[in-house]
Amino acid sequence: MPRDRSHPRTHTYPPMASFTLHGIPVSRGIAIGRAHLLTPAALDVRHYLIAEENVEAEVQRLQQALAAVHRELQTLWNELPKDAPTELGAFIDVHALILSDPMISEAPLDIIRSRHYNAEWALLTQIDELSAQFDEIEDPYLRERKADIQQVAERVLKVLMGSEPLPTAITPAAGDEFQAQMIVVAHDISPADMLKFRDRSFIGFVTDVGGQNSHTAIVARSLDIPAAVGMSQASQLIKQDDWVIIDGDAGVVIVTPSALVLEQYRERQQAALRARKKLSKLKKTPAVTKDGTAITLLANIELPDDCPAALEAGASGVGLFRSEFLFMGRASDIPSEDEQFEQYRRAVAAMKGRIVTIRTLDIGADKPLDQSEHTALNPALGLRAIRYCLSEPQIFLTQLRAILRASAFGKVRILIPMLAHAFEIDQSLAMIEQAKAQLRELDIKYDPEVQVGAMIEIPAAALALPMFVKRMDFLSIGTNDLIQYTLAIDRVDYEVAHLYNPLHPAVLQLIAMTIAAGHKAGIDVGVCGEMAGDTKLTRLLLGMGLREFSMHPAQLLSVKQEILNSDLETVVPQTRKILRAMEPAAIAEAVQALQTM
């Protein structure tokens, strides 16, 4: 975990020359504030030898630090904000798994005993050895998670050194207009630390590493906070308390801007705030294109408590209820049928007759129920989602009964994730019928006509759509995983983040094929991944024929505005040209041109 290096401004420094950094835009908006640097605790580690009689005491000190970080991660998990993105819980689980691995929990203790290094030095020695021999590490999970290993080490070092990573405020220079507004600048920010930013005066993030789907990016979008990642040397070039401007739309960071530039960006910031206030007036406006085509806008939620925000944003219903949030961190206490039913019923009641689409348990591999579970060689390709549910039929049946029971209280749809094979579809449908039969035997009410849909997030599914449209009532495209699997990219691995591209022609073809197949079969097709909430892609998706978007509630009004300003008679022909294009530059240029049509 990065260590706090802030200090009061007690001196007046000569003005620094302004400079601009270019990175990856991941969250919209403009942030203006003072830089708060988070530098690695490893830079301040002392190296000294321990006397023989004090070795076991030093071992115990490191063990206590490891245990403290375990407790801290568990506390963070238990206190996850209800609006936290699903991936954030998975990131915390990953760190807990790494912390339990003998390479971290035991090897540094052996170094203390054999070499008499102090605890901090021993831990860093082990981390350095792991990093230097990364490709040869036997544990495949650790081999692919170098950044996570280093972040875990930072947390342990913080405990050993007694440092607090975040201040309550930076002492401002006299007369600073934005004295409480701070911008975090770091090489990287751990997902656990991200949770601590919510109650502080931080308004933006800048990191050296990261990509469109790094944890910093995911949380920044969820919190609707401007961020720019992949800035390379930002943490070394930016100084403590420097004035910093983040242009989240362009992925640009301006350091020590001139008075003229600062004023220009303040005006842009105020204009954006006015635009957002104007957006709020669209809450009750129907989502209809200029040519009169009605569009359905739904919300993605994790818990029933998210429903008020969805309604406040004007959502027509819930397009994705991520049910795994009810299960995470509860391996020894899996929610009972009654507990699950009550949560689903609450969501259905809160949406007041609007549709609620509940995705069945999407867990396993990189999102284990039990943090001590063995992680697969490649988590993204392992026992997860419907594969996990079909391997644990009692867990699956329990959840299906709970969902069906909730369907008696309102409009409910069941969404099955990660389907790829006909036998998976058939087994899932058979399990739903079994759950219905069990409820009938007990004379428990449910909606016998409840719709069942499939997530299209594996290229094989998009290429074999006839077997889906023949069996399912609706389809929902999970663009996050679809892009990941199509391009063979770990979407949270910053080292390949630059390759994650929703506009890759193969991705666009798969999405267009899915929408077209659904229309031909007369069934609804929606998008519930990140692309649905990206206003730069709204018209492109409309041109493909998409009529149902599901996204984080904070994105809904912006997308609605794009829909209201779109004319399909103009957008559709241009989209067809885009789908015929294969050159990235031509596609990007054409998509940008759509914004002005």
Side-chain angles (χ1 to χ4, degrees), residues 416 419-422 425-426 452-478 482 506-526 544:
I416 312 294
L419 290 166
H421 304 275
I425 302 174
D426 293 339
V452 181
M455 286 198 74
I456 304 300
E457 50 191 341
I458 298 177
L463 293 170
L465 288 165
M467 72 181 184
F468 283 85
V469 298
K470 182 171 65 174
R471 293 168 167 87
M472 310 305 279
D473 298 312
F474 68 97
L475 302 177
S476 185
I477 305 172
L482 184 61
V507 173
L508 298 183
Q509 290 294 328
L510 293 174
I511 294 172
M513 286 167 50
T514 303
I515 295 171
H519 287 180
K520 184 177 180 181
I523 66 175
D524 291 335
V525 179
M544 290 182 184

Side-chain angles (χ1 to χ4, degrees), residues 24 55 60 93 100 104 117 167 171 284 356 439 447 518 543 562:
I24 301 172
V55 164
Q60 186 177 13
D93 282 338
S100 299
I104 305 297
Y117 288 2
T171 302
K284 296 182 179 180
V356 176
L439 292 178
D447 178 8
E562 282 296 310

Side-chain angles (χ1 to χ4, degrees), residues 177-330:
E177 180 182 352
F178 293 88
Q179 60 179 346
Q181 299 187 332
M182 297 176 282
I183 291 174
V184 177
V185 180
H187 177 70
D188 195 12
I189 305 172
S190 79
D193 286 339
M194 294 294 287
L195 290 174
K196 298 186 176 181
F197 298 150
R198 301 171 63 85
D199 300 324
R200 312 260 182 164
S201 300
F202 293 97
I203 59 168
F205 309 113
V206 178
T207 60
D208 296 340
V209 299
Q212 279 283 347
N213 284 274
S214 64
H215 48 246
T216 304
I218 292 168
V219 176
R221 283 194 293 270
S222 174
L223 302 179
D224 209 15
I225 292 176
V229 303
M231 306 299 289
S232 188
Q233 303 296 313
S235 65
Q236 298 179 31
L237 297 173
I238 299 173
K239 306 302 180 185
Q240 186 73 30
D241 284 0
D242 275 351
W243 274 106
V244 173
I245 298 172
I246 299 176
D247 185 339
D249 298 301
V252 169
V253 172
I254 303 172
V255 185
T256 61
S258 67
L260 177 61
V261 171
L262 193 61
E263 185 58 32
Q264 288 174 340
Y265 270 92
R266 283 177 176 167
E267 289 177 1
R268 285 182 56 185
Q269 189 180 47
Q270 291 302 313
L273 289 173
R274 289 193 296 270
R276 290 202 182 192
K277 288 182 179 179
K278 187 177 179 180
L279 277 180
S280 64
K281 299 178 181 179
L282 299 178
K283 289 177 184 177
K284 296 182 179 180
T285 303
V288 179
T289 61
K290 284 184 175 180
D291 56 288
T293 302
I295 307 299
T296 301
L297 296 181
L298 305 172
N300 295 343
I301 68 169
E302 280 81 38
L303 294 169
D305 291 342
D306 298 334
C307 291
L311 292 174
E312 178 65 20
S316 299
V318 171
L320 178 63
F321 183 154
R322 298 184 176 99
S323 66
E324 58 271 14
F325 243 67
L326 305 176
F327 291 76
M328 299 290 278
R330 298 186 57 178

